[in-house]
Amino acid sequence: MSEVDYWRWLAVAVDEAKAGLAEGGIPIGAALIGADGQVLGSGHNRRVQDDDPSVHGETAAFRNAGRQRSYAGTTMVTTLSPCWYCSGLVRQFGIGRVIIGEARNFHGGHDWLAESGVEVVLLDDPECTRLMADFIEANPRLWYEDIGEDAQ
Amino acid sequence: MSEVDYWRWLAVAVDEAKAGLAEGGIPIGAALIGADGQVLGSGHNRRVQDDDPSVHGETAAFRNAGRQRSYAGTTMVTTLSPCWYCSGLVRQFGIGRVIIGEARNFHGGHDWLAESGVEVVLLDDPECTRLMADFIEANPRLWYEDIGEDAQ
């Protein structure tokens, strides 16, 4: 896999984030990529759409990929640095690589993942950054709810 | 709250675990308890029932509690030491206390939670231990799938 693949996978996550935004939701998307480079599943945050706090972009992608006997060689690509919940998911299931659109609006657990042996690639994509910054500015209460913090 | 409450809450989680087992699933249950001691939501692992790898006991309880503006003062009670995924959930959302039925069959991330300031109470309940041990002995492949490890 090359950086061209990483950006192609990120585009899948960005499309999910935009779909979430169009539904009135929080624009965070993700995809789980198989060892062969194919998309096993993708999804986006559905807190607003389903009134379900358990569906972050990453957990949606993980769920939509269905049951896998092993996550060896898989990659999680996400538009935003994964929170502790989603970082824990990556670590528990042995997902070997995480590709992150941006970590400017939120710095989750990706350093912890790197320390535990996960390959972390931060693409620092301006489109992801703008999408999230605009959303947070317009919807601070919803955003802080999603990460379990009091609105600031 | 006293230890009597802790055991009462664990009983809710144990009932969930048994319900999961009766459905042919992995017997791990949990409940999210509000600051007032009432059950906000409870649930059990649904990997088998729904073919959904994202539903652990703790994430089911979290989901079934619905959207909460804050998790201040809440307690997660679970029959088994929470894996990294579920430990990450607790940490991200600021759930302040975790009550654990047993950690003999699986030692998850609860030491990490304790280090990060979460109150951890390990009840070491023989019923929880037996329930899980019997299940793992009869279904090793399913159990290792659930924690993302190769069957041993």
Side-chain angles (χ1 to χ4, degrees), chain B residues 106-118:
Chain B
F106 178 71
H107 195 108
H110 69 263
D111 295 332
W112 177 70
L113 287 177
E115 285 162 18
S116 78
V118 175

PDB file of all heavy atoms in Angstrom, chain B residues 106-118:
ATOM      1  N   PHE B 106     -10.750 -12.990  32.229  1.00  0.00           N
ATOM      2  CA  PHE B 106     -10.229 -11.981  31.301  1.00  0.00           C
ATOM      3  C   PHE B 106      -9.875 -10.742  32.102  1.00  0.00           C
ATOM      4  O   PHE B 106     -10.693 -10.237  32.883  1.00  0.00           O
ATOM      5  CB  PHE B 106     -11.304 -11.635  30.247  1.00  0.00           C
ATOM      6  CG  PHE B 106     -10.888 -10.575  29.272  1.00  0.00           C
ATOM      7  CD1 PHE B 106      -9.930 -10.837  28.303  1.00  0.00           C
ATOM      8  CD2 PHE B 106     -11.449  -9.307  29.325  1.00  0.00           C
ATOM      9  CE1 PHE B 106      -9.540  -9.850  27.404  1.00  0.00           C
ATOM     10  CE2 PHE B 106     -11.071  -8.314  28.421  1.00  0.00           C
ATOM     11  CZ  PHE B 106     -10.118  -8.591  27.461  1.00  0.00           C
ATOM     12  N   HIS B 107      -8.659 -10.265  31.876  1.00  0.00           N
ATOM     13  CA  HIS B 107      -8.220  -9.042  32.543  1.00  0.00           C
ATOM     14  C   HIS B 107      -8.119  -7.956  31.478  1.00  0.00           C
ATOM     15  O   HIS B 107      -7.214  -7.965  30.665  1.00  0.00           O
ATOM     16  CB  HIS B 107      -6.862  -9.284  33.203  1.00  0.00           C
ATOM     17  CG  HIS B 107      -6.494  -8.224  34.190  1.00  0.00           C
ATOM     18  ND1 HIS B 107      -6.493  -8.437  35.543  1.00  0.00           N
ATOM     19  CD2 HIS B 107      -6.177  -6.925  34.020  1.00  0.00           C
ATOM     20  CE1 HIS B 107      -6.149  -7.317  36.159  1.00  0.00           C
ATOM     21  NE2 HIS B 107      -5.948  -6.385  35.256  1.00  0.00           N
ATOM     22  N   GLY B 108      -9.105  -7.053  31.465  1.00  0.00           N
ATOM     23  CA  GLY B 108      -9.154  -6.017  30.442  1.00  0.00           C
ATOM     24  C   GLY B 108      -8.378  -4.778  30.848  1.00  0.00           C
ATOM     25  O   GLY B 108      -7.259  -4.882  31.377  1.00  0.00           O
ATOM     26  N   GLY B 109      -8.992  -3.611  30.642  1.00  0.00           N
ATOM     27  CA  GLY B 109      -8.287  -2.344  30.860  1.00  0.00           C
ATOM     28  C   GLY B 109      -8.598  -1.670  32.179  1.00  0.00           C
ATOM     29  O   GLY B 109      -8.386  -0.464  32.317  1.00  0.00           O
ATOM     30  N   HIS B 110      -9.051  -2.430  33.171  1.00  0.00           N
ATOM     31  CA  HIS B 110      -9.508  -1.727  34.379  1.00  0.00           C
ATOM     32  C   HIS B 110      -8.385  -1.119  35.224  1.00  0.00           C
ATOM     33  O   HIS B 110      -8.617  -0.145  35.925  1.00  0.00           O
ATOM     34  CB  HIS B 110     -10.485  -2.587  35.213  1.00  0.00           C
ATOM     35  CG  HIS B 110      -9.896  -3.777  35.877  1.00  0.00           C
ATOM     36  ND1 HIS B 110      -9.958  -5.038  35.331  1.00  0.00           N
ATOM     37  CD2 HIS B 110      -9.247  -3.913  37.053  1.00  0.00           C
ATOM     38  CE1 HIS B 110      -9.376  -5.887  36.159  1.00  0.00           C
ATOM     39  NE2 HIS B 110      -8.939  -5.234  37.201  1.00  0.00           N
ATOM     40  N   ASP B 111      -7.175  -1.655  35.108  1.00  0.00           N
ATOM     41  CA  ASP B 111      -6.062  -1.005  35.831  1.00  0.00           C
ATOM     42  C   ASP B 111      -5.768   0.365  35.212  1.00  0.00           C
ATOM     43  O   ASP B 111      -5.499   1.343  35.920  1.00  0.00           O
ATOM     44  CB  ASP B 111      -4.794  -1.874  35.758  1.00  0.00           C
ATOM     45  CG  ASP B 111      -4.967  -3.195  36.493  1.00  0.00           C
ATOM     46  OD1 ASP B 111      -5.758  -3.250  37.450  1.00  0.00           O
ATOM     47  OD2 ASP B 111      -4.315  -4.175  36.092  1.00  0.00           O
ATOM     48  N   TRP B 112      -5.834   0.401  33.900  1.00  0.00           N
ATOM     49  CA  TRP B 112      -5.637   1.661  33.151  1.00  0.00           C
ATOM     50  C   TRP B 112      -6.712   2.676  33.548  1.00  0.00           C
ATOM     51  O   TRP B 112      -6.425   3.867  33.733  1.00  0.00           O
ATOM     52  CB  TRP B 112      -5.715   1.321  31.661  1.00  0.00           C
ATOM     53  CG  TRP B 112      -5.609   2.423  30.667  1.00  0.00           C
ATOM     54  CD1 TRP B 112      -4.496   3.163  30.365  1.00  0.00           C
ATOM     55  CD2 TRP B 112      -6.658   2.888  29.804  1.00  0.00           C
ATOM     56  NE1 TRP B 112      -4.804   4.053  29.352  1.00  0.00           N
ATOM     57  CE2 TRP B 112      -6.112   3.902  29.005  1.00  0.00           C
ATOM     58  CE3 TRP B 112      -8.001   2.539  29.621  1.00  0.00           C
ATOM     59  CZ2 TRP B 112      -6.866   4.584  28.033  1.00  0.00           C
ATOM     60  CZ3 TRP B 112      -8.746   3.204  28.663  1.00  0.00           C
ATOM     61  CH2 TRP B 112      -8.190   4.216  27.879  1.00  0.00           C
ATOM     62  N   LEU B 113      -7.931   2.206  33.701  1.00  0.00           N
ATOM     63  CA  LEU B 113      -9.013   3.104  34.133  1.00  0.00           C
ATOM     64  C   LEU B 113      -8.738   3.635  35.541  1.00  0.00           C
ATOM     65  O   LEU B 113      -8.909   4.829  35.800  1.00  0.00           O
ATOM     66  CB  LEU B 113     -10.360   2.376  34.099  1.00  0.00           C
ATOM     67  CG  LEU B 113     -10.934   2.127  32.704  1.00  0.00           C
ATOM     68  CD1 LEU B 113     -12.235   1.331  32.810  1.00  0.00           C
ATOM     69  CD2 LEU B 113     -11.162   3.442  31.962  1.00  0.00           C
ATOM     70  N   ALA B 114      -8.309   2.744  36.420  1.00  0.00           N
ATOM     71  CA  ALA B 114      -8.022   3.173  37.793  1.00  0.00           C
ATOM     72  C   ALA B 114      -6.924   4.240  37.794  1.00  0.00           C
ATOM     73  O   ALA B 114      -7.014   5.256  38.495  1.00  0.00           O
ATOM     74  CB  ALA B 114      -7.614   1.971  38.644  1.00  0.00           C
ATOM     75  N   GLU B 115      -5.900   4.026  36.957  1.00  0.00           N
ATOM     76  CA  GLU B 115      -4.803   5.012  36.862  1.00  0.00           C
ATOM     77  C   GLU B 115      -5.286   6.355  36.337  1.00  0.00           C
ATOM     78  O   GLU B 115      -4.718   7.391  36.647  1.00  0.00           O
ATOM     79  CB  GLU B 115      -3.702   4.478  35.928  1.00  0.00           C
ATOM     80  CG  GLU B 115      -2.854   3.396  36.546  1.00  0.00           C
ATOM     81  CD  GLU B 115      -2.088   2.595  35.489  1.00  0.00           C
ATOM     82  OE1 GLU B 115      -1.946   3.088  34.349  1.00  0.00           O
ATOM     83  OE2 GLU B 115      -1.651   1.473  35.805  1.00  0.00           O
ATOM     84  N   SER B 116      -6.337   6.329  35.525  1.00  0.00           N
ATOM     85  CA  SER B 116      -6.844   7.588  34.960  1.00  0.00           C
ATOM     86  C   SER B 116      -7.900   8.224  35.867  1.00  0.00           C
ATOM     87  O   SER B 116      -8.538   9.202  35.472  1.00  0.00           O
ATOM     88  CB  SER B 116      -7.394   7.350  33.550  1.00  0.00           C
ATOM     89  OG  SER B 116      -8.683   6.767  33.604  1.00  0.00           O
ATOM     90  N   GLY B 117      -8.103   7.674  37.057  1.00  0.00           N
ATOM     91  CA  GLY B 117      -8.992   8.326  38.016  1.00  0.00           C
ATOM     92  C   GLY B 117     -10.378   7.721  38.155  1.00  0.00           C
ATOM     93  O   GLY B 117     -11.197   8.227  38.922  1.00  0.00           O
ATOM     94  N   VAL B 118     -10.652   6.650  37.423  1.00  0.00           N
ATOM     95  CA  VAL B 118     -11.941   5.981  37.552  1.00  0.00           C
ATOM     96  C   VAL B 118     -11.908   5.103  38.815  1.00  0.00           C
ATOM     97  O   VAL B 118     -10.912   4.449  39.096  1.00  0.00           O
ATOM     98  CB  VAL B 118     -12.232   5.106  36.303  1.00  0.00           C
ATOM     99  CG1 VAL B 118     -13.523   4.307  36.479  1.00  0.00           C
ATOM    100  CG2 VAL B 118     -12.288   5.982  35.054  1.00  0.00           C
TER     101      VAL B 118
END
